[in-house]
Amino acid sequence: MTAAGDFKVTLLGTGVPIPSPDRFGPSTLIEAGDQKLLIDAGRGAAIRLYQLHVPIGRLDALLLTHYHSDHTSGIPDVWLTGWLTSHFGTRTKPFRVIGPVGAKTLMENLERAYALDIKIRIADEKLPPEGIAVEVAEFDRDGVVYEKNGVKVIAFEVDHGDVIKPAYGYRIEYAGRVAVISGDTRYNENVIKYGAGADLLIHEVAIVRPALLAEPFIQRIMAHHTSAREAGTVFARTRPRLGAYTHMVFLASEKVPRATVDELIAETRLTYDGPLEVGEDLMRFEIGQEVSVRRFTGPAQT
């Protein structure tokens, strides 16, 4: 079983496409044994790693859930900055990316987009070419996508909408413990299947005040996500030791304000009465005999 601190999950970014300074783009750091995995790399992922004193070049792999830009816009920063020779970079081996079909196209185009920068830094700064190389592995079905030093990651398909495909969540297993990340999804039986009995289940959620539900664009957004009441049902059916929210979609307009966190919790409590945390950027979960929660209190690294 895990010792204290051996298995940690940190919410680097809990936001959505809104460019908020409080909630950066979707990204989650998994630290299990000697492995460091990043799930998605939304806006500001590299900054959050820097705040945690985690060298950006130390990541063992980046795993992608789907290809909406809020989940991928931070990839160039993580990839390129992690290559620099400063203490926050230091990558000397290929950048490993794992994702559903589409990952190769994404990374090949990023390599083309930044080809001049890469050429200049190799010539000028003598950076190792192998540190900016990219290794991509794609998958197209449920199954194990990463396994090393006791860490196993299982991808499972979710439902983010009829045309938003592919879309996946991840189940991370280490030393008899399990963390599950839903990815962006509507209420979906596959999340319940792979989330059953997890120590930690991190789920996306969306909430809107009734006054806005008549708006067609609000209806479209809500149709791509899981409501708080539905997410509560997921937690109630899977019974994790701790349920937590990330990628919180708080919809609003100029006239109708967003719902509050208290309202989000109240909606969840209509269907779920177990342990629950509303995620914050840099919130860390330590999974051992207990699942402990730590909020970030340290200053930004300079």
Side-chain angles (χ1 to χ4, degrees), residues 20-297:
S20 167
D22 300 315
R23 293 189 183 275
F24 282 12
S27 186
T28 304
L29 174 66
I30 308 295
E31 298 174 277
D34 66 350
Q35 299 294 292
K36 295 184 186 301
L37 308 175
L38 195 63
I39 297 180
D40 287 335
R43 181 189 298 115
I47 296 172
R48 293 304 195 210
L49 290 168
Y50 185 75
Q51 286 180 278
L52 294 175
H53 302 267
V54 174
I56 303 164
R58 170 62 184 82
L59 298 173
D60 292 284
L62 166 66
L63 296 102
L64 301 174
T65 61
H66 66 295
Y67 298 111
H68 267 150
S69 61
D70 55 317
H71 293 254
T72 63
S73 63
I75 292 175
D77 197 5
V78 172
W79 171 47
L80 294 160
T81 306
W83 180 42
L84 302 181
T85 53
S86 297
H87 64 91
F88 51 79
T90 72
R91 187 191 317 107
T92 58
K93 59 184 180 180
F95 183 60
R96 187 173 183 186
V97 178
I98 301 168
V101 172
K104 290 181 179 179
T105 298
L106 174 64
M107 295 310 301
E108 286 169 358
N109 281 301
L110 286 178
E111 287 181 289
R112 280 191 283 272
Y114 288 96
L116 185 56
D117 174 62
I118 292 167
K119 179 181 177 180
I120 290 170
R121 291 189 186 277
I122 290 173
D124 181 51
E125 300 176 37
K126 311 304 180 186
L127 297 183
E130 57 270 24
I132 200 61
V134 176
E135 290 183 357
V136 181
E138 292 185 333
F139 57 85
D140 62 1
R141 66 197 68 188
D142 294 5
V144 176
V145 296
Y146 184 91
E147 190 164 11
K148 185 176 180 181
N149 294 356
V151 180
K152 179 188 291 187
V153 181
I154 301 167
F156 57 90
E157 189 173 13
V158 294
D159 180 8
H160 193 20
D162 293 340
V163 300
I164 309 173
K165 299 181 183 299
Y168 281 79
Y170 290 105
R171 175 184 172 99
I172 304 97
E173 300 178 354
Y174 176 69
R177 304 295 186 191
V178 174
V180 174
I181 297 175
S182 73
D184 285 15
T185 185
R186 303 191 279 205
Y187 182 85
N188 184 255
E189 289 292 330
N190 228 17
V191 177
I192 294 166
K193 174 183 175 180
Y194 286 93
D199 294 278
L200 173 66
L201 174 54
I202 300 173
H203 205 290
E204 71 117 79
V205 69
I207 187 169
V208 62
R209 291 202 160 120
L212 279 177
L213 284 174
E215 298 285 349
F217 82 97
I218 294 291
Q219 294 172 7
R220 287 194 296 272
I221 295 172
M222 289 300 295
H224 294 150
H225 294 282
T226 307
S227 71
R229 190 177 302 201
E230 290 171 329
T233 300
V234 173
F235 291 139
R237 291 184 62 189
T238 54
R239 284 294 166 186
R241 288 205 290 161
L242 178 63
Y245 282 138
T246 192
H247 196 278
M248 283 161 281
V249 183
F250 286 98
L251 298 172
S253 71
E254 291 182 358
K255 295 182 179 179
V256 181
R258 51 172 276 177
T260 65
V261 168
D262 286 342
E263 288 172 311
L264 176 68
I265 294 171
E267 281 290 309
T268 307
R269 290 302 183 203
L270 295 174
T271 52
Y272 174 63
D273 61 2
L276 177 68
E277 286 286 341
V278 176
E280 302 169 358
D281 281 20
L282 297 172
M283 177 180 283
R284 185 177 71 196
F285 305 96
E286 296 185 357
I287 305 172
Q289 294 297 324
E290 305 292 335
V291 181
S292 62
V293 181
R294 301 184 185 276
R295 287 170 171 79
F296 184 75
T297 57

